[in-house]
Amino acid sequence: MDYNVNKEGFYGEFGGAYIPEILYSNVENLRNNYLRIISEDGFKAEFEVLMRDYVGRPSPLYFAGRLSQKYGTRIYLKREDLNHTGAHKINNTVGQILLAQRMGKTRIIAETGAGQHGLATATVCALRGMKCIVYMGETDIARQQLNVQKMKMLGAEVRSVSSGNKTLKDATNEAIRDWCCNPSDTHYIIGSTVGPHPYPDIVTRFQSIISEEIKSQLADKEGRDYPDYLIACVGGGSNAAGTFYHYLNDTRVKLIGIEAAGLGVDTDKTAATIHLGKKGIIHGSRTFVMQDEDGQITEPYSVSAGLDYPGIGPVHANLFTTQRAEYLAVTDSEALSAAFELTRLEGIIPALESSHALAVFGQKKFEPEDVLVLTLSGRGDKDMDTFLKLITKFN
Ligand SMILES: *Cc1c(COP(=O)(O)O)cnc(C)c1O
């Protein structure tokens, strides 16, 4: 079976490009050109230099000794938290800014929830001298002030969105509206493996550097280039897609994605799209969507703004449906405990999103000889307010 996108832009029955007429030429232009551009030697060389000297890659593969001891198995952390700007998002924005410039674009737009993708986009726009507009929900602006201030310092314009729940879904709608009005000079940098084809494939390819590095790093450390398990959190699904990419057809490797259950999958305060979503269309893609009986998209909830999305990348909808990957749901409180546990055992403060992946050890038992690689998608600096409210509970 091929788990990658087919020529028509589908992963099994998921994906595609369900877009308004006015966006057609933009998306078509991208579709006709992205593979050619990103496979050019000049593109690859420039991407490689920036990954190494600007982002700081390869990110280390760290053997977490005390965490491994506690859970009686062998746990490696893929340290995307050590990247410039603090998460995996920068891998994709560097790739897309190079793509945008080669397509002759001069203006960049983006949506952001927690602000990590907005920050990564504002960063590469400063690097390349491009005009940058970031759409962000009013609610998220209020709870992610540090990232908003960083984006402004980098020269981006942050546009506040006050429709709907005033969060990521609404910011995405607004960015799409902007793109409709400015098709010729503007490139829309989508931050996850979502949106119309070819975006999920573009983002997956730029993030696939994660599994490319895991292969050679594991070969060095374990004498074999594959683990028994790969584990990553799933919001839209980009850090997980990048972690899985080079192992999709290697069935020796079990794949585990972790989504956010919020207060629980049996409550209405949740973002567990794989567990609760039904097939539908969101932001140009056919996938699982959290919706009510009338097909209206429902408001997701998670303590972690980066996982607070009512859809899921089509690649994951297909990996779930074909049972190639397993998806678990982790609650706010399980994730918060896991964040404190990693901090106290390894001296690493993880992002709230990544903490969901770390909570896998509370749900699933592994064998002593198993080799696990868990992608630590980001660092916890942006989440300190949330952590500090709980500090007495964990002392
Ligand atoms: C944005 C973000 C996520 C979720 O996005 P994916 O596309 O699912 O990877 C996870 N972790 C961190 C640190 C993020 O910033």
Side-chain angles (χ1 to χ4, degrees), residues 121-148:
T121 302
T123 298
V124 297
C125 286
L127 175 71
R128 289 291 168 149
M130 301 269 269
K131 188 174 166 55
C132 179
I133 291 147
V134 178
Y135 290 92
M136 190 168 183
E138 218 174 270
T139 310
D140 290 332
I141 288 181
R143 60 182 176 182
Q144 299 289 343
Q145 265 305 306
L146 183 62
N147 275 342
V148 173

Side-chain angles (χ1 to χ4, degrees), residues 65-382:
R66 299 226 300 149
L67 189 67
S68 294
Q69 193 166 34
K70 169 146 191 199
Y71 289 103
T73 190
R74 299 179 58 73
I75 304 168
Y76 287 92
L77 303 176
K78 182 59 174 158
R79 300 289 308 275
E80 296 300 300
D81 61 313
L82 294 176
N83 293 342
H84 182 41
T85 69
H88 65 294
K89 297 272 179 7
I90 191 86
N91 304 327
N92 168 54
T93 59
V94 167
Q96 284 204 47
I97 201 90
L98 298 181
L99 180 59
Q101 288 194 314
R102 279 165 172 78
M103 294 188 59
K105 306 293 182 177
T106 54
R107 179 176 177 270
I108 297 294
I109 56 170
E111 82 296 333
T112 197
Q116 286 301 105
H117 174 57
L119 174 61
T121 302
T123 298
V124 297
C125 286
L127 175 71
R128 289 291 168 149
M130 301 269 269
K131 188 174 166 55
C132 179
I133 291 147
V134 178
Y135 290 92
M136 190 168 183
E138 218 174 270
T139 310
D140 290 332
I141 288 181
R143 60 182 176 182
Q144 299 289 343
Q145 265 305 306
L146 183 62
N147 275 342
V148 173
Q149 284 154 3
K150 285 182 184 172
M151 286 186 265
K152 289 184 175 162
M153 181 160 175
L154 286 158
E157 181 190 337
V158 180
R159 287 197 188 158
S160 170
V161 176
S162 53
S163 55
N165 214 27
K166 308 179 171 83
T167 57
L168 180 59
K169 169 174 69 68
D170 315 292
T172 306
N173 288 336
E174 217 48 52
I176 291 173
R177 211 160 287 153
D178 179 311
W179 206 27
C180 287
C181 303
N182 301 285
S184 60
D185 65 339
T186 298
H187 176 68
Y188 177 18
I189 299 190
I190 294 185
S192 188
T193 43
V194 300
H197 177 68
Y199 276 104
D201 190 44
I202 291 176
V203 179
T204 298
R205 283 168 186 268
F206 290 142
Q207 293 294 357
S208 71
I209 192 165
I210 298 174
S211 51
E212 190 184 313
E213 290 174 3
I214 291 173
K215 277 200 133 171
S216 60
Q217 290 170 324
L218 268 185
D220 279 353
K221 290 179 199 301
E222 288 285 329
R224 56 158 154 131
D225 70 354
Y226 66 96
D228 297 294
Y229 290 90
L230 287 167
I231 302 157
C233 66
V234 178
S238 69
N239 86 87
T243 301
F244 297 168
Y245 186 81
H246 288 285
Y247 296 104
L248 283 174
N249 293 309
D250 185 344
T251 50
R252 295 171 300 187
V253 183
K254 298 178 198 74
L255 311 176
I256 304 177
I258 314 275
E259 57 179 5
L263 300 185
V265 288
D266 49 359
T267 70
D268 61 1
K269 291 261 182 226
T270 177
T273 311
I274 293 257
H275 285 76
L276 299 171
K278 297 189 209 75
K279 289 171 195 172
I281 289 170
I282 183 168
H283 298 136
S285 177
R286 183 177 147 80
T287 183
F288 291 113
V289 184
M290 307 252 289
Q291 50 190 303
D292 63 18
E293 267 113 68
D294 302 325
Q296 291 295 314
I297 294 170
T298 53
E299 296 298 344
Y301 163 81
S302 165
V303 67
S304 128
L307 302 181
D308 199 352
Y309 184 68
I312 174 94
V315 58
H316 293 288
N318 187 49
L319 290 174
F320 169 73
T321 303
T322 57
Q323 297 182 17
R324 173 66 185 97
E326 174 185 11
Y327 292 84
L328 304 175
V330 157
T331 63
D332 288 0
S333 72
E334 289 173 299
L336 288 161
S337 302
F340 276 86
E341 180 179 77
L342 185 75
T343 304
R344 299 287 168 90
L345 285 176
E346 300 286 350
I348 299 171
I349 302 178
L352 268 172
E353 292 81 5
S354 323
S355 307
H356 284 72
L358 290 161
V360 73
F361 305 115
Q363 290 201 8
K364 210 174 156 78
K365 189 105 187 68
F366 299 94
E367 299 301 324
E369 62 278 10
D370 282 341
V371 173
L372 280 56
V373 174
L374 184 149
T375 295
L376 206 64
S377 54
R379 63 177 93 121
D381 304 32
K382 67 183 175 53

